């Protein structure tokens, strides 16, 4: 299964340092990191943004940028999470997390074996990470390896 981790960085070049060893060897505070196994940083975070903002997924997908860097093997990279999603995550009230997680968890990307309650714990952690990123003036990034 592909590995994915969301984290905070101050710039694309700072985030690109995660290309070689991933985020665990980068000296990040544990609060600045969210494990995201099984969460695709392009499609699934796009459907999360659509769920949170009400914007059509097609518009979101059309506005996604390229990775800020790719590993030499092409199987790993770092992508900046869209600003609109970071803002929506930061603004997500903790009491709404179960409702949003359940709605998002019913999207087809989670497949037929998706948890009926959705990814509550993941979304709560990602929302907290979004709040920290906004407070610090940084961006969220997702390191991925397939």
């Amino acid at each position: 299964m592909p590995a994915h981790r969301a984290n905070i960085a101050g710039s694309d070049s700072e985030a690109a340092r995660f290309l070689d060893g991933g985020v665990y060897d980068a000296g990040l505070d544990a609060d600045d990191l969210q494990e995201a196994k099984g969460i695709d940083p392009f499609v699934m975070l796009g459907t999360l943004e659509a769920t949170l903002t009400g914007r059509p997924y097609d518009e979101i997908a059309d506005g996604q940028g390229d990775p800020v860097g790719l590993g030499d093997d092409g199987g790993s990279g770092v992508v900046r999470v869209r600003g609109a999603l970071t803002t929506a995550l930061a603004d997500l009230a903790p009491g709404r997390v179960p409702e949003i997680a359940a709605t998002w968890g019913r999207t087809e990307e989670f497949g037929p074996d998706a948890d009926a309650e959705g990814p509550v714990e993941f979304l709560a952690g990602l929302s907290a990470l979004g709040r920290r990123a906004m407070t610090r003036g940084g961006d969220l990034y997702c390191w991925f390896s397939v």
Side-chain angles (χ1 to χ4, degrees), residues 9 11-21 68-70 78 141 143:
S11 68
D12 289 357
S13 60
E14 182 183 331
R17 77 179 193 259
F18 305 127
L19 282 174
D20 296 328
V68 299
L70 290 172
V78 176
Y141 289 85
W143 175 84

PDB file of all heavy atoms in Angstrom, residues 9 11-21 68-70 78 141 143:
ATOM      1  N   ALA A   9       5.358  22.731   6.312  1.00  0.00           N
ATOM      2  CA  ALA A   9       6.645  23.291   5.887  1.00  0.00           C
ATOM      3  C   ALA A   9       6.415  24.745   5.516  1.00  0.00           C
ATOM      4  O   ALA A   9       5.302  25.152   5.180  1.00  0.00           O
ATOM      5  CB  ALA A   9       7.230  22.522   4.710  1.00  0.00           C
ATOM      6  N   SER A  11       7.939  26.416   2.999  1.00  0.00           N
ATOM      7  CA  SER A  11       8.073  26.718   1.575  1.00  0.00           C
ATOM      8  C   SER A  11       8.195  25.415   0.794  1.00  0.00           C
ATOM      9  O   SER A  11       8.454  24.353   1.369  1.00  0.00           O
ATOM     10  CB  SER A  11       9.318  27.573   1.330  1.00  0.00           C
ATOM     11  OG  SER A  11      10.492  26.816   1.594  1.00  0.00           O
ATOM     12  N   ASP A  12       8.049  25.521  -0.522  1.00  0.00           N
ATOM     13  CA  ASP A  12       8.211  24.347  -1.381  1.00  0.00           C
ATOM     14  C   ASP A  12       9.615  23.769  -1.254  1.00  0.00           C
ATOM     15  O   ASP A  12       9.791  22.554  -1.177  1.00  0.00           O
ATOM     16  CB  ASP A  12       7.942  24.707  -2.844  1.00  0.00           C
ATOM     17  CG  ASP A  12       6.472  24.979  -3.128  1.00  0.00           C
ATOM     18  OD1 ASP A  12       5.629  24.832  -2.213  1.00  0.00           O
ATOM     19  OD2 ASP A  12       6.165  25.349  -4.274  1.00  0.00           O
ATOM     20  N   SER A  13      10.628  24.634  -1.227  1.00  0.00           N
ATOM     21  CA  SER A  13      12.003  24.125  -1.148  1.00  0.00           C
ATOM     22  C   SER A  13      12.257  23.450   0.197  1.00  0.00           C
ATOM     23  O   SER A  13      12.964  22.447   0.268  1.00  0.00           O
ATOM     24  CB  SER A  13      13.014  25.242  -1.403  1.00  0.00           C
ATOM     25  OG  SER A  13      12.874  26.274  -0.466  1.00  0.00           O
ATOM     26  N   GLU A  14      11.673  23.982   1.252  1.00  0.00           N
ATOM     27  CA  GLU A  14      11.807  23.329   2.563  1.00  0.00           C
ATOM     28  C   GLU A  14      11.119  21.970   2.536  1.00  0.00           C
ATOM     29  O   GLU A  14      11.650  20.980   3.051  1.00  0.00           O
ATOM     30  CB  GLU A  14      11.198  24.216   3.649  1.00  0.00           C
ATOM     31  CG  GLU A  14      11.339  23.655   5.048  1.00  0.00           C
ATOM     32  CD  GLU A  14      10.671  24.518   6.107  1.00  0.00           C
ATOM     33  OE1 GLU A  14      10.578  25.748   5.928  1.00  0.00           O
ATOM     34  OE2 GLU A  14      10.221  23.946   7.110  1.00  0.00           O
ATOM     35  N   ALA A  15       9.949  21.901   1.926  1.00  0.00           N
ATOM     36  CA  ALA A  15       9.210  20.637   1.855  1.00  0.00           C
ATOM     37  C   ALA A  15       9.938  19.622   0.981  1.00  0.00           C
ATOM     38  O   ALA A  15       9.884  18.417   1.249  1.00  0.00           O
ATOM     39  CB  ALA A  15       7.809  20.876   1.311  1.00  0.00           C
ATOM     40  N   ALA A  16      10.638  20.080  -0.039  1.00  0.00           N
ATOM     41  CA  ALA A  16      11.333  19.169  -0.947  1.00  0.00           C
ATOM     42  C   ALA A  16      12.435  18.382  -0.246  1.00  0.00           C
ATOM     43  O   ALA A  16      12.859  17.341  -0.739  1.00  0.00           O
ATOM     44  CB  ALA A  16      11.895  19.946  -2.134  1.00  0.00           C
ATOM     45  N   ARG A  17      12.869  18.836   0.907  1.00  0.00           N
ATOM     46  CA  ARG A  17      13.904  18.092   1.640  1.00  0.00           C
ATOM     47  C   ARG A  17      13.403  16.719   2.078  1.00  0.00           C
ATOM     48  O   ARG A  17      14.179  15.852   2.451  1.00  0.00           O
ATOM     49  CB  ARG A  17      14.419  18.890   2.834  1.00  0.00           C
ATOM     50  CG  ARG A  17      13.503  18.902   4.039  1.00  0.00           C
ATOM     51  CD  ARG A  17      14.119  19.698   5.199  1.00  0.00           C
ATOM     52  NE  ARG A  17      13.423  19.481   6.431  1.00  0.00           N
ATOM     53  CZ  ARG A  17      12.538  20.325   6.956  1.00  0.00           C
ATOM     54  NH1 ARG A  17      12.269  21.451   6.350  1.00  0.00           N
ATOM     55  NH2 ARG A  17      11.940  20.048   8.087  1.00  0.00           N
ATOM     56  N   PHE A  18      12.097  16.501   2.038  1.00  0.00           N
ATOM     57  CA  PHE A  18      11.521  15.220   2.422  1.00  0.00           C
ATOM     58  C   PHE A  18      11.623  14.180   1.311  1.00  0.00           C
ATOM     59  O   PHE A  18      11.253  13.038   1.516  1.00  0.00           O
ATOM     60  CB  PHE A  18      10.049  15.387   2.826  1.00  0.00           C
ATOM     61  CG  PHE A  18       9.830  16.401   3.907  1.00  0.00           C
ATOM     62  CD1 PHE A  18       8.929  17.427   3.735  1.00  0.00           C
ATOM     63  CD2 PHE A  18      10.533  16.337   5.093  1.00  0.00           C
ATOM     64  CE1 PHE A  18       8.721  18.365   4.726  1.00  0.00           C
ATOM     65  CE2 PHE A  18      10.337  17.270   6.095  1.00  0.00           C
ATOM     66  CZ  PHE A  18       9.424  18.289   5.904  1.00  0.00           C
ATOM     67  N   LEU A  19      12.096  14.569   0.145  1.00  0.00           N
ATOM     68  CA  LEU A  19      12.152  13.640  -0.978  1.00  0.00           C
ATOM     69  C   LEU A  19      13.035  12.432  -0.704  1.00  0.00           C
ATOM     70  O   LEU A  19      12.678  11.316  -1.045  1.00  0.00           O
ATOM     71  CB  LEU A  19      12.660  14.348  -2.243  1.00  0.00           C
ATOM     72  CG  LEU A  19      11.635  15.202  -2.955  1.00  0.00           C
ATOM     73  CD1 LEU A  19      12.283  15.962  -4.091  1.00  0.00           C
ATOM     74  CD2 LEU A  19      10.499  14.350  -3.478  1.00  0.00           C
ATOM     75  N   ASP A  20      14.179  12.649  -0.134  1.00  0.00           N
ATOM     76  CA  ASP A  20      15.128  11.554   0.025  1.00  0.00           C
ATOM     77  C   ASP A  20      14.745  10.576   1.121  1.00  0.00           C
ATOM     78  O   ASP A  20      14.665   9.378   0.896  1.00  0.00           O
ATOM     79  CB  ASP A  20      16.534  12.106   0.286  1.00  0.00           C
ATOM     80  CG  ASP A  20      17.059  12.892  -0.897  1.00  0.00           C
ATOM     81  OD1 ASP A  20      16.695  12.543  -2.038  1.00  0.00           O
ATOM     82  OD2 ASP A  20      17.804  13.842  -0.678  1.00  0.00           O
ATOM     83  N   GLY A  21      14.499  11.066   2.318  1.00  0.00           N
ATOM     84  CA  GLY A  21      14.262  10.163   3.439  1.00  0.00           C
ATOM     85  C   GLY A  21      12.855  10.174   3.968  1.00  0.00           C
ATOM     86  O   GLY A  21      12.568   9.514   4.962  1.00  0.00           O
ATOM     87  N   VAL A  68       5.850  19.413  -5.867  1.00  0.00           N
ATOM     88  CA  VAL A  68       6.950  20.373  -5.725  1.00  0.00           C
ATOM     89  C   VAL A  68       8.281  19.674  -5.941  1.00  0.00           C
ATOM     90  O   VAL A  68       9.312  20.332  -6.085  1.00  0.00           O
ATOM     91  CB  VAL A  68       6.924  21.105  -4.365  1.00  0.00           C
ATOM     92  CG1 VAL A  68       5.632  21.897  -4.223  1.00  0.00           C
ATOM     93  CG2 VAL A  68       7.103  20.155  -3.201  1.00  0.00           C
ATOM     94  N   GLY A  69       8.260  18.368  -5.967  1.00  0.00           N
ATOM     95  CA  GLY A  69       9.451  17.596  -6.253  1.00  0.00           C
ATOM     96  C   GLY A  69       9.121  16.129  -6.368  1.00  0.00           C
ATOM     97  O   GLY A  69       8.153  15.651  -5.789  1.00  0.00           O
ATOM     98  N   LEU A  70       9.914  15.431  -7.187  1.00  0.00           N
ATOM     99  CA  LEU A  70       9.770  13.987  -7.339  1.00  0.00           C
ATOM    100  C   LEU A  70      11.103  13.335  -7.037  1.00  0.00           C
ATOM    101  O   LEU A  70      12.164  13.883  -7.377  1.00  0.00           O
ATOM    102  CB  LEU A  70       9.345  13.619  -8.769  1.00  0.00           C
ATOM    103  CG  LEU A  70       7.931  13.990  -9.173  1.00  0.00           C
ATOM    104  CD1 LEU A  70       7.716  13.737 -10.657  1.00  0.00           C
ATOM    105  CD2 LEU A  70       6.924  13.185  -8.358  1.00  0.00           C
ATOM    106  N   VAL A  78       6.689  15.026  -3.223  1.00  0.00           N
ATOM    107  CA  VAL A  78       6.083  15.924  -2.252  1.00  0.00           C
ATOM    108  C   VAL A  78       5.130  16.844  -3.012  1.00  0.00           C
ATOM    109  O   VAL A  78       5.493  17.403  -4.057  1.00  0.00           O
ATOM    110  CB  VAL A  78       7.147  16.765  -1.511  1.00  0.00           C
ATOM    111  CG1 VAL A  78       6.487  17.774  -0.578  1.00  0.00           C
ATOM    112  CG2 VAL A  78       8.101  15.870  -0.738  1.00  0.00           C
ATOM    113  N   TYR A 141       1.926  19.963   3.379  1.00  0.00           N
ATOM    114  CA  TYR A 141       2.505  19.192   2.286  1.00  0.00           C
ATOM    115  C   TYR A 141       2.241  17.733   2.540  1.00  0.00           C
ATOM    116  O   TYR A 141       2.088  17.295   3.686  1.00  0.00           O
ATOM    117  CB  TYR A 141       4.025  19.432   2.210  1.00  0.00           C
ATOM    118  CG  TYR A 141       4.377  20.801   1.726  1.00  0.00           C
ATOM    119  CD1 TYR A 141       4.438  21.871   2.611  1.00  0.00           C
ATOM    120  CD2 TYR A 141       4.623  21.047   0.390  1.00  0.00           C
ATOM    121  CE1 TYR A 141       4.741  23.143   2.181  1.00  0.00           C
ATOM    122  CE2 TYR A 141       4.930  22.319  -0.061  1.00  0.00           C
ATOM    123  CZ  TYR A 141       4.987  23.356   0.842  1.00  0.00           C
ATOM    124  OH  TYR A 141       5.278  24.627   0.404  1.00  0.00           O
ATOM    125  N   TRP A 143       3.917  14.037   1.650  1.00  0.00           N
ATOM    126  CA  TRP A 143       4.975  13.197   1.092  1.00  0.00           C
ATOM    127  C   TRP A 143       4.326  11.891   0.705  1.00  0.00           C
ATOM    128  O   TRP A 143       3.522  11.330   1.460  1.00  0.00           O
ATOM    129  CB  TRP A 143       6.051  12.968   2.145  1.00  0.00           C
ATOM    130  CG  TRP A 143       7.125  12.018   1.701  1.00  0.00           C
ATOM    131  CD1 TRP A 143       8.223  12.343   0.962  1.00  0.00           C
ATOM    132  CD2 TRP A 143       7.206  10.618   1.974  1.00  0.00           C
ATOM    133  NE1 TRP A 143       8.983  11.210   0.752  1.00  0.00           N
ATOM    134  CE2 TRP A 143       8.376  10.139   1.371  1.00  0.00           C
ATOM    135  CE3 TRP A 143       6.401   9.718   2.671  1.00  0.00           C
ATOM    136  CZ2 TRP A 143       8.766   8.805   1.429  1.00  0.00           C
ATOM    137  CZ3 TRP A 143       6.784   8.395   2.737  1.00  0.00           C
ATOM    138  CH2 TRP A 143       7.957   7.957   2.129  1.00  0.00           C
TER     139      TRP A 143
END
